[in-house]
Amino acid sequence: AQKITQTQPGMFVQEKEAVTLDCTYDTSDPSYGLFWYKQPSSGEMIFLIYQGSYDQQNATEGRYSLNFQKARKSANLVISASQLGDSAMYFCAIFNQAGTALIFGKGTTLSVSS
Amino acid sequence: DTAVSQTPKYLVTQMGNDKSIKCEQNLGHDTMYWYKQDSKKFLKIMFSYNNKELIINETVPNRFSPKSPDKAHLNLHINSLELGDSAVYFCASSHEGTPGGYTFGSGTRLTVV
């Protein structure tokens, strides 16, 4: 069965520094996609970035990039030049085995300080 | 302009009551979902539904039932509410073949007292 593991309950970083949020996954599907979402304290879920398993390059979206290591089954999110507004909970997700719904990891709380 | 809208945003009710949460999306997506986020922030799929198929997570009690009057709406009905139902419920939608993931509503915080 598909599984997402986020081992960092909390991470702390100073403004303007880069931070990496870890995500490992387990799947038996040859083709799959990985997603990252941000949930600020206001509660909404914001889609950040997507990585397809057959994409030739690691995904990037502005200050967000994915360090995708297929052999290690990891898809770590890298946030460059952290901002105070990046303080939030971050979730990694993958489709379930049937492909009918995203399943999420337990999340990592990121705190950015000035 | 809101892509996925849920109402109400907050809902406080007594144990044993029946309540509904409404969800509407104006994105033309073909699939809608309900997720439950518990007090530890864990997000769990409850239902996924498109115009062909309803898929229910087997761990969801049958007190919960989704109702879809049309493609743009997926409401969540909860009967005989229990204290453990207190959570934030998120509606989401997606379109098959779109790699952008889901668009989520802003959530409904349900408190059962």
Side-chain angles (χ1 to χ4, degrees), chain A residues 85-97:
Chain A
D86 294 333
S87 293
M89 193 139 187
Y90 290 80
F91 293 94
C92 183
I94 193 171
F95 276 113
N96 62 5
Q97 199 151 15

Side-chain angles (χ1 to χ4, degrees), chain B residues 52-64:
Chain B
K52 301 170 192 171
E53 194 175 11
L54 170 66
I55 300 187
I56 302 170
N57 183 328
E58 64 274 8
T59 65
V60 174
N62 58 14
R63 298 181 295 103
F64 291 79

